[in-house]
Amino acid sequence: MDEESLLLSLELASGSGQGLSPDRRASLLTSLMLVKRDYRFDRVLFWGRILGLVADYYIAQGLSEDQLAPRKTLYSLNCMEWSLLPPATEEMEMQTSMVKGHFMGDPSHEYEHTELQKVNEGEKVFEEEVVVQIKEETRLVSIIDQIDKAVAVIPRGALFKTPFGPIRVNRTFEGLSLSEAKKLSSYFHFREPVELKNKTLLEKADLDPSLDFMDSLEHDIPKESTCHSPEDPQRAPRPCAMPSEAPGSDKLRMGPGCEVKSHIF
């Protein structure tokens, strides 16, 4: 949700049963404007909320003029004071994959898990149990990164690539037509392309370089099915529930204790 249209976006999102109180909305709107000014972001997006047992994490992301440049992620516990998170790494993802359970809502909280490590003593090699501690802030960084890679989606035409390379917001974009909104090819992953680089010149022949510079959802083979809502054809594609989930659920499980809605920027 762009901070410029935040209140309207929150009002629309509240139809799902998840919303923010009026004071939270007011605090969020004011603080995000200050974040944009202080960090000199071109745009600030309200990413969403991750529920915790003690407190909830409110997440925002700052974008530079190049919309595909690495985004800066911030979190807040009160919608007023924001802290910058470090970039995600593969090591973080490996460490946090062992963490089970819900978020606590305390960034300094440490999870503990036991793992086996090989220890050499002379010519002997044996395995030893080692207790590894992982901060919740590290887990938060990893989970946000995984969600972004999996379900951050943007409609075709919302961004365009300039002749000099940077990606800009298309100010003339007014949304997809009804027929285009029904097609998976009308939506892109909001991240640097991965599959596009592997396409042949023949496959790229019909692509518009100024618009088709990200990976389309058309050829995705996700762990969960991507589907449309026939009752609301303008609704963007979303991850459908796995068979083990409750019927009618549209939540995407990103690890134990973490349930989030798929989101569109």
Side-chain angles (χ1 to χ4, degrees), residues 6-265:
L6 180 64
L7 294 182
L8 175 60
S9 299
L10 288 174
E11 190 67 31
L12 294 172
S14 64
S16 64
Q18 294 290 336
L20 300 180
S21 62
D23 59 326
R24 286 289 192 203
R25 294 187 187 192
S27 300
L28 192 62
L29 181 61
T30 304
S31 64
L32 289 184
M33 293 173 62
L34 295 176
V35 165
K36 181 179 179 180
R37 183 199 68 184
D38 295 343
Y39 287 90
R40 299 183 179 180
F41 292 136
D42 182 65
R43 295 170 65 206
V44 174
L45 305 175
F46 176 54
W47 185 94
R49 178 177 62 178
I50 292 181
L51 304 181
L53 298 177
V54 177
D56 299 335
Y57 292 104
Y58 297 88
I59 312 299
Q61 290 185 328
L63 285 70
S64 61
E65 290 187 5
D66 187 345
Q67 300 295 301
L68 275 191
R71 298 188 285 272
K72 303 291 186 182
T73 303
L74 304 95
Y75 74 90
S76 174
L77 298 174
N78 55 14
C79 291
M80 292 183 289
E81 299 171 332
W82 295 87
S83 300
L84 190 65
L85 290 171
T89 63
E90 291 184 5
E91 183 181 359
M92 285 182 180
E93 185 174 347
M94 291 179 59
Q95 289 178 342
T96 56
S97 64
M98 305 300 296
V99 179
K100 309 296 181 183
H102 293 274
F103 279 87
M104 292 299 297
D106 177 7
S108 62
H109 176 75
E110 291 188 342
Y111 299 93
E112 293 185 354
H113 76 91
T114 304
E115 62 180 35
L116 296 176
Q117 293 184 357
K118 291 184 178 180
V119 179
N120 296 323
E121 284 193 4
E123 297 180 353
K124 296 181 179 180
V125 179
F126 60 93
E127 292 184 339
E128 182 179 54
E129 288 189 351
V130 177
V131 176
V132 179
Q133 294 182 330
I134 301 170
K135 280 193 174 182
E136 181 157 280
E137 184 178 89
T138 302
R139 185 188 181 196
L140 185 66
V141 171
S142 178
I143 288 294
I144 292 172
D145 183 63
Q146 291 177 60
I147 293 171
D148 274 343
K149 289 177 180 178
V151 297
V153 175
I154 195 164
R156 184 177 186 269
L159 302 178
F160 73 97
K161 189 173 186 177
T162 66
F164 302 103
I167 312 301
R168 308 293 191 197
V169 174
N170 186 357
R171 301 296 179 185
T172 64
F173 179 71
E174 297 182 350
L176 298 170
S177 65
L178 182 59
S179 59
E180 291 297 317
K182 297 178 182 180
K183 302 176 183 177
L184 284 176
S185 57
S186 297
Y187 302 92
F188 297 124
H189 288 285
F190 191 26
R191 53 170 166 74
E192 285 289 341
V194 177
E195 300 299 330
L196 185 63
K197 299 175 182 179
N198 300 325
K199 289 184 179 291
T200 65
L201 292 176
L202 185 60
E203 291 174 319
K204 294 180 180 179
D206 296 329
L207 301 181
D208 185 338
S210 64
L211 298 177
D212 303 312
F213 51 85
M214 293 179 285
D215 291 331
S216 168
L217 269 65
E218 184 178 14
H219 303 296
D220 275 10
I221 307 177
K223 294 180 181 179
E224 305 179 26
S225 302
T226 303
C227 62
H228 288 282
S229 172
E231 293 79 16
D232 186 2
Q234 289 190 333
R235 184 180 180 182
R238 60 178 175 80
C240 295
M242 292 291 283
S244 59
E245 292 187 311
S249 169
D250 66 345
K251 292 180 178 178
L252 175 66
R253 293 190 184 274
M254 297 297 297
C258 180
E259 292 183 347
V260 295
K261 299 275 185 178
S262 58
H263 57 288
I264 291 185
F265 291 107

